[in-house]
Amino acid sequence: MKPRRITHAERTKAEILAVAVPLAARIGLEGLTIGRLADEMGMSKGGVFAHFGSKEGLQVATVEAAFQAFADEVLTPAMAAPEGIARLRALLSGYLDYVEKRKDAGGCFFTAASLEFDDRPGEVRERISGLLAARTELIVEELRKAVARGELQGDPEDIAFEATAISTGANVQFQLSKDPSVLARARALLEARLAAHELKPSKRRAR
Amino acid sequence: MKPRRITHAERTKAEILAVAVPLAARIGLEGLTIGRLADEMGMSKGGVFAHFGSKEGLQVATVEAAFQAFADEVLTPAMAAPEGIARLRALLSGYLDYVEKRKDAGGCFFTAASLEFDDRPGEVRERISGLLAARTELIVEELRKAVARGELQGDPEDIAFEATAISTGANVQFQLSKDPSVLARARALLEARLAAHELKPSKRRAR
DNA sequence: CCTACCGATCGGTAGG
DNA sequence: CCTACCGATCGGTAGG
């Protein structure tokens, strides 16, 4: 990868996507029309269109930009925490922080996109599915490490399902109700469930 | 309420809604256009439109018809179970059965509708919100009874959040992956969590 | 319940 | 990146 000059076109494209991501989270990837995006950018429809080649191209690029934002805001900082249970806590609480921050911006981009495209085969669905799987795999991997380190006991995939389902369910309820007690309950519950799976240091065995 | 003759118009409206509910679950309440509905019914646009007066009217009627179906399929049968923990189990497993049955039909209508309308104020959002709250209240009420009867311990609202979040999270993951192991994990987890909150008969106190 | 229509907007194309 | 345009479809109206 040679560092390359960022062209003017690339910068414009990035600016369009910075508008498209929160817009799509609010009104959906299908509701995200080229005309509306052009209006909000003060550009012509043709100008916006040219960067993506098709509506589907715009949608795929928006999904990827949304994941980049999620990775920068949640995944990368969490990976800086010590591996095992500490990193796990960072991944889970980071997600809820991400949801809370987007209270009036559609909440979790991927939950909304997932439900919108779960019955529409195509490139957009594949990307959403792949990126969500990558995030789940990160959690499962960290659970495996925590089990291997003797910090936790239980089946990593079961615990990952529990944690992600609670997180996603909290996002859905919070988006509709805007009630902060939903997130408070989710945080307390995730913490309690992690504690329940945790092995007391006295019981840990060396490996 | 006098029993009244069902008019021809009412029957047609019910037939339209029987098509509209699964269609909206798949493609969304916004994607549910009058023209497409007319095509699938073999009717004219004007003919369909006349029954609802506006797009919003169609959406509200569709939400209500979807809830009626959910009540008939899940809530009413569950209310036939003995009150307390048995009824609770029926409510929760009934929801997952409802989700499983709609694998290729958009899954839970209300999860999809909730995420689509959570940022769009109006009548549609209000109905979705009200009906989901009614369902949650049914679960909380049953938890209160179970606690009062000495079957369970814990905070009814906390346990209701846990159960509904797991259920909703399972629906979201199942719709995208179509992987039956998601529902199997959800059933096992809900059962385990209920068992964890359960009081052994030997420990139950009379009230 | 139909036909016939309205203005607006959709995704996309052509040519520059 | 723009203007100018295409056919299709949108929600909705009028008149019957």
Side-chain angles (χ1 to χ4, degrees):
Chain A
M1 289 267 181
K2 295 177 188 169
R4 197 170 39 78
R5 285 289 299 265
I6 294 167
T7 64
H8 183 76
E10 283 170 333
R11 196 147 52 82
T12 303
K13 186 169 178 175
E15 285 168 4
I16 295 171
L17 288 172
V19 173
V21 170
L23 191 59
R26 272 192 297 118
I27 64 175
L29 277 164
E30 210 57 53
L32 178 75
T33 68
I34 294 163
R36 176 153 178 188
L37 205 43
D39 271 0
E40 303 217 9
M41 295 296 299
M43 286 172 62
S44 69
K45 264 179 58 178
V48 171
F49 186 88
H51 285 282
F52 304 99
S54 69
K55 173 85 181 259
E56 192 181 29
L58 167 65
Q59 289 171 329
V60 168
T62 302
V63 169
E64 283 169 353
F67 189 77
Q68 193 56 56
F70 180 73
D72 291 347
E73 191 172 327
V74 179
L75 302 183
T76 303
M79 294 314 274
E83 73 172 24
I85 204 162
R87 191 177 289 172
L88 211 49
R89 283 200 165 87
L91 284 167
L92 298 178
S93 70
Y95 177 79
L96 293 178
D97 293 342
Y98 165 88
V99 165
E100 186 169 25
K101 194 174 162 187
R102 282 161 180 76
K103 182 181 173 181
D104 296 313
C108 173
F109 181 94
F110 292 92
T111 305
S114 170
L115 272 151
E116 190 178 1
F117 277 83
D118 55 16
D119 276 317
R120 304 185 198 182
E123 188 68 10
V124 181
R125 199 199 115 104
E126 293 313 306
R127 298 297 175 107
I128 294 165
S129 178
L131 293 172
L132 277 171
R135 176 235 182 186
T136 301
E137 187 48 38
L138 225 54
I139 292 172
V140 170
E141 186 52 41
E142 223 50 50
L143 280 162
R144 287 203 193 97
K145 284 181 201 160
V147 169
R149 291 157 59 94
E151 294 173 340
L152 285 183
Q153 57 187 341
D155 174 33
E157 301 207 8
D158 278 347
I159 304 174
F161 168 75
E162 183 172 16
T164 55
I166 290 169
S167 300
T168 304
N171 173 58
V172 173
Q173 289 184 35
F174 179 63
Q175 287 319 305
L176 190 65
S177 69
K178 311 288 182 190
D179 179 353
S181 79
V182 171
L183 293 183
R185 263 188 239 275
R187 285 185 222 277
L189 178 58
L190 283 174
E191 194 49 52
R193 298 305 301 143
L194 225 49
H197 292 297
E198 210 166 354
L199 277 170
K200 293 274 178 288
S202 60
K203 292 190 187 167
R204 289 181 192 168
R205 291 171 298 160
R207 310 173 70 95
Chain B
M1 289 265 181
K2 296 177 187 169
R4 197 170 39 77
R5 286 290 299 265
I6 294 166
T7 64
H8 183 76
E10 284 169 332
R11 196 147 52 82
T12 303
K13 186 169 177 175
E15 285 168 4
I16 295 171
L17 289 172
V19 173
V21 170
L23 191 58
R26 273 193 295 119
I27 64 176
L29 277 165
E30 210 57 52
L32 179 75
T33 68
I34 293 163
R36 176 153 178 187
L37 205 43
D39 271 1
E40 303 218 10
M41 294 296 297
M43 286 172 63
S44 69
K45 264 178 58 177
V48 171
F49 186 88
H51 286 283
F52 304 100
S54 69
K55 172 85 182 259
E56 192 180 31
L58 167 64
Q59 290 172 329
V60 168
T62 302
V63 169
E64 283 169 354
F67 189 78
Q68 193 56 57
F70 180 73
D72 291 347
E73 192 172 328
V74 179
L75 302 183
T76 303
M79 294 315 274
E83 72 171 26
I85 203 163
R87 193 177 289 173
L88 209 50
R89 283 200 164 87
L91 284 168
L92 298 179
S93 70
Y95 176 79
L96 292 177
D97 293 343
Y98 165 88
V99 165
E100 185 169 26
K101 194 173 162 187
R102 283 160 179 76
K103 180 180 173 182
D104 297 313
C108 173
F109 181 95
F110 292 92
T111 306
S114 169
L115 273 150
E116 191 177 0
F117 277 83
D118 56 15
D119 276 317
R120 304 185 198 183
E123 188 68 10
V124 181
R125 200 199 115 104
E126 293 313 306
R127 298 297 176 106
I128 294 164
S129 177
L131 294 171
L132 276 172
R135 176 235 183 187
T136 301
E137 186 48 37
L138 225 53
I139 292 172
V140 170
E141 187 52 40
E142 223 50 50
L143 280 161
R144 286 203 193 98
K145 285 182 201 160
V147 169
R149 290 156 60 93
E151 294 174 339
L152 284 183
Q153 58 187 340
D155 174 32
E157 300 207 9
D158 278 348
I159 305 175
F161 168 75
E162 182 172 19
T164 55
I166 290 168
S167 299
T168 304
N171 173 58
V172 173
Q173 289 184 35
F174 180 63
Q175 286 320 305
L176 189 66
S177 70
K178 312 288 183 191
D179 179 353
S181 79
V182 171
L183 293 183
R185 263 188 239 276
R187 285 186 222 276
L189 178 58
L190 284 174
E191 195 49 52
R193 297 305 302 143
L194 224 48
H197 293 297
E198 210 165 354
L199 276 170
K200 295 273 178 288
S202 61
K203 291 190 187 167
R204 290 182 192 167
R205 292 171 297 160
R207 310 174 68 98

